[in-house]
Amino acid sequence: MQLTTNPTTATSYRILIIEDDPTLTTTLRYSLHKQGHHVTVASDGLEGIKVARSTRPDIILLDLMLPNIDGREVCRYLRGWLDSPILMLTALGREEDVIAGLEVGADDYVTKPFRMNELIARINALIRRTRSQKPEADTLIAGDLMVRISEHRAMFADRELRLAPKEFQILIALMRRAGKVCTRAELMKEAWGEGIVVDPRNVDVHVRLIRAQLEGEPDGSWLIQTVHGVGYRFSGELGPNPPAEDANAEGNTN
Amino acid sequence: MQLTTNPTTATSYRILIIEDDPTLTTTLRYSLHKQGHHVTVASDGLEGIKVARSTRPDIILLDLMLPNIDGREVCRYLRGWLDSPILMLTALGREEDVIAGLEVGADDYVTKPFRMNELIARINALIRRTRSQKPEADTLIAGDLMVRISEHRAMFADRELRLAPKEFQILIALMRRAGKVCTRAELMKEAWGEGIVVDPRNVDVHVRLIRAQLEGEPDGSWLIQTVHGVGYRFSGELGPNPPAEDANAEGNTN
DNA sequence: CAACTCCTTCACAAATCGATAAACAAACGT
DNA sequence: ACGTTTGTTTATCGATTTGTGAAGGAGTTG
């Protein structure tokens, strides 16, 4: 099955390879360059650290066995100030090494020999994992309730809700922290703004109005719960409702 | 023998395993529990999705090959709204599968057979990556009792407790010092505040109300013990219950 | 300007919580 | 064994918190 586009490889990343084997570096450099990335190579740990400090790569491929300085040492050192992901790379397949590598702060570990495509996939996954830190989802879904923030719209099972601005802000504030209790102060900060101070009872009123909109639907009244003495909690489960139980048995093997 | 010494549940995470092989789940559950994690098991994709929605695990171990729904589908679905890391797990060693898994949003990929220690190291690395900025223990677990502070929620064996604010404060104060005796003065400082002075008997009353909630469950009444002349002691062992009883799914089925 | 929406404020009802008291039971020291 | 101290349980009442409805004003749109 072919996917249309792959946004992760659409952009180019700066990759630093710290590896002393010239054959491997050549292969890696070639393959990664073909992916559109910008590759820098350092052939020993000290040089790698220097290059990392000056170029700030998006990801580092780090050989475990290096001349002079052990790869683990390099990793530990880099981790102190660099938050780019580090992918350990080694000929050793012993699990102690894998574990030691991960313990020391590596984010992934690949043993040679490896398949280039897998390495690339892991690189992309690592970058995606560290880069896409909270893109602030535009669409919040919880069961039958769907809120599209950019459109300022909220739907409950195909029925459009009429939410006033304040109500809307409070709802998405609650949904963003789904499951957790939001104090009135927190909700006020979200819906009114940082410095603005109003009567906290206003929150109650708006919550009531939201509830009124959700009423009539199954479980609608339970979506926003009151936690006495603390605040309110959106207790719906995030994500769309799972597919029906029966239906298709797909992809089943064995 | 293990005493209830360490209130640091920072290393205890909620792990959901979506895997249909009972042998493997048993092994995993045992090993992960020994690490101090709280393990939930779902035996097929749909159940896994449901459990993930309701329990919000910190990390998910997902088998690629599942009955009814393909693991990739599950992964893609979860990724839409869940930001917890997903570790793919499969018997397939083909690189296409690894790549496909990573493309679909998995954060790591381990092929069977694998070494348990490596898996655990990868789990820890994943968790460290994603919630490195959360050293504060939000979830206190002691056997069947689980308290999530930010959600202001307490569950006893999947049954939700109704705890008033004071009761809640006293409970978590006791749990934080699990095994140690808390004097009434200490508990009052935690639940009422530094300067406030009230009749120490209030503590008695609230402890009784907590006990009333825990009643009916096995060992529930023994969780909070009275130390005559001194105060109260939370005597449950922190950390999840051993999975000794069954190898079956403990996830809900509603 | 008129109609409308939205926000705030208020008053009252309902629900919940917490402090106190008091009666009862258990544990302890002598 | 006895009385004293400490803990348990229940009840009650006032205080606090929250739900509800409505009114009025500010702001916006046509």
Side-chain angles (χ1 to χ4, degrees):
Chain A
M1 193 173 293
Q2 184 85 17
L3 292 180
T4 52
T5 51
N6 194 337
T8 52
T9 52
T11 36
S12 149
Y13 294 105
R14 306 191 307 278
I15 300 179
L16 169 61
I17 303 175
I18 309 179
E19 162 71 64
D20 60 326
D21 176 8
T23 314
L24 185 53
T25 55
T26 306
T27 315
L28 282 173
R29 163 175 266 160
Y30 174 75
S31 300
L32 293 174
H33 181 260
K34 212 168 63 178
Q35 293 283 314
H37 300 302
H38 181 257
V39 179
T40 312
V41 174
S43 56
D44 72 85
L46 210 57
E47 189 192 344
I49 289 172
K50 285 180 188 166
V51 176
R53 289 181 55 174
S54 58
T55 67
R56 295 283 175 140
D58 296 306
I59 184 172
I60 295 175
L61 308 191
L62 175 62
D63 193 4
L64 181 62
M65 296 216 297
L66 289 170
N68 301 330
I69 308 183
D70 186 42
R72 274 183 290 251
E73 273 310 308
V74 178
C75 184
R76 193 177 296 133
Y77 180 86
L78 291 174
R79 251 303 115 75
W81 51 272
L82 191 77
D83 50 358
S84 304
I86 297 173
L87 196 155
M88 278 269 200
L89 199 64
T90 183
L92 303 178
R94 297 185 312 157
E95 71 171 334
E96 302 92 80
D97 295 310
V98 178
I99 294 164
L102 292 171
E103 292 291 339
V104 115
D107 297 291
D108 203 348
Y109 205 102
V110 171
T111 57
K112 311 180 207 173
F114 52 82
R115 271 93 166 222
M116 188 54 68
N117 283 337
E118 177 178 342
L119 181 68
I120 289 171
R122 283 191 182 272
I123 289 173
N124 287 332
L126 268 185
I127 291 175
R128 165 158 30 92
R129 197 156 78 213
T130 52
R131 277 291 158 128
S132 66
Q133 300 278 24
K134 315 218 170 175
E136 283 295 328
D138 179 60
T139 306
L140 299 169
I141 300 178
D144 286 333
L145 178 63
M146 172 165 69
V147 179
R148 216 172 292 253
I149 298 172
S150 64
E151 300 179 9
H152 207 274
R153 273 171 148 226
M155 313 260 292
F156 199 110
D158 296 332
R159 182 171 62 86
E160 174 136 17
L161 305 180
R162 288 178 45 85
L163 295 177
K166 284 278 184 295
E167 297 160 31
F168 193 82
Q169 296 297 335
I170 289 178
L171 177 59
I172 62 178
L174 284 167
M175 288 184 75
R176 283 211 175 103
R177 290 198 191 67
K180 317 226 179 257
V181 179
C182 299
T183 66
R184 290 183 174 71
E186 287 172 333
L187 292 173
M188 283 165 58
K189 199 170 78 177
E190 290 281 338
W192 275 265
E194 184 74 49
I196 293 92
V197 270
V198 288
D199 189 347
R201 291 305 304 276
N202 282 319
V203 178
D204 301 28
V205 177
H206 288 293
V207 166
R208 185 185 103 64
L209 295 174
I210 299 173
R211 280 176 172 160
Q213 291 283 327
L214 267 41
E215 205 122 295
E217 307 285 346
D219 299 327
S221 336
W222 287 97
L223 275 180
I224 300 179
Q225 294 180 340
T226 304
V227 181
H228 197 101
V230 185
Y232 294 95
R233 172 178 55 202
F234 186 90
S235 72
E237 297 176 350
L238 277 192
N241 284 327
E245 189 77 48
D246 52 2
N248 43 11
E250 165 214 339
N252 190 0
T253 52
N254 92 300
Chain B
M1 176 195 310
Q2 184 174 354
L3 291 182
T4 66
T5 49
N6 193 354
T8 306
T9 50
T11 47
S12 170
Y13 293 103
R14 310 192 306 278
I15 301 179
L16 168 61
I17 303 175
I18 309 179
E19 162 71 64
D20 61 325
D21 177 9
T23 312
L24 184 54
T25 56
T26 306
T27 314
L28 282 173
R29 163 177 266 168
Y30 174 75
S31 301
L32 293 174
H33 170 261
K34 215 166 61 178
Q35 293 284 312
H37 301 300
H38 182 256
V39 179
T40 311
V41 175
S43 55
D44 71 84
L46 204 57
E47 191 192 341
I49 288 174
K50 286 179 183 169
V51 175
R53 290 222 302 162
S54 59
T55 68
R56 311 277 180 86
D58 296 309
I59 185 172
I60 294 176
L61 308 190
L62 175 62
D63 192 5
L64 181 61
M65 295 213 296
L66 290 170
N68 301 330
I69 305 181
D70 186 42
R72 273 183 292 251
E73 274 309 309
V74 177
C75 184
R76 193 178 297 135
Y77 178 88
L78 292 175
R79 250 305 116 72
W81 52 270
L82 190 80
D83 50 356
S84 305
I86 298 173
L87 196 157
M88 277 270 202
L89 200 62
T90 183
L92 302 179
R94 299 184 308 162
E95 71 170 335
E96 303 93 79
D97 294 309
V98 178
I99 295 164
L102 292 171
E103 291 291 342
V104 116
D107 297 290
D108 202 346
Y109 205 102
V110 171
T111 57
K112 310 183 214 171
F114 52 84
R115 270 89 166 229
M116 188 56 67
N117 284 337
E118 176 178 343
L119 181 68
I120 288 171
R122 284 191 182 272
I123 288 172
N124 288 332
L126 271 183
I127 290 174
R128 167 159 29 91
R129 245 294 168 224
T130 53
R131 47 180 66 198
S132 54
Q133 57 224 357
K134 279 192 174 180
E136 180 193 351
D138 180 61
T139 307
L140 299 169
I141 299 176
D144 284 335
L145 178 64
M146 170 156 61
V147 179
R148 237 169 277 185
I149 299 173
S150 68
E151 302 184 4
H152 210 272
R153 239 169 215 242
M155 314 254 293
F156 199 107
D158 294 334
R159 183 172 63 87
E160 173 139 17
L161 306 180
R162 284 180 45 88
L163 295 178
K166 283 277 185 296
E167 299 160 26
F168 193 82
Q169 297 296 340
I170 289 178
L171 177 60
I172 61 179
L174 283 168
M175 288 185 76
R176 284 210 172 106
R177 291 178 185 65
K180 309 197 189 285
V181 183
C182 299
T183 66
R184 291 181 173 70
E186 285 173 333
L187 292 174
M188 282 166 58
K189 199 170 78 177
E190 289 281 338
W192 274 265
E194 185 73 49
I196 294 92
V197 270
V198 287
D199 190 345
R201 278 168 187 273
N202 284 315
V203 179
D204 302 27
V205 177
H206 288 294
V207 166
R208 175 192 159 329
L209 293 174
I210 299 173
R211 280 175 172 160
Q213 290 284 325
L214 266 41
E215 208 123 291
E217 308 284 347
D219 299 328
S221 333
W222 291 98
L223 275 179
I224 300 178
Q225 293 179 341
T226 302
V227 181
H228 198 97
V230 185
Y232 295 95
R233 172 179 54 202
F234 187 88
S235 73
E237 297 193 349
L238 279 194
N241 263 342
E245 340 83 29
D246 65 339
N248 251 341
E250 86 175 18
N252 62 16
T253 48
N254 67 333

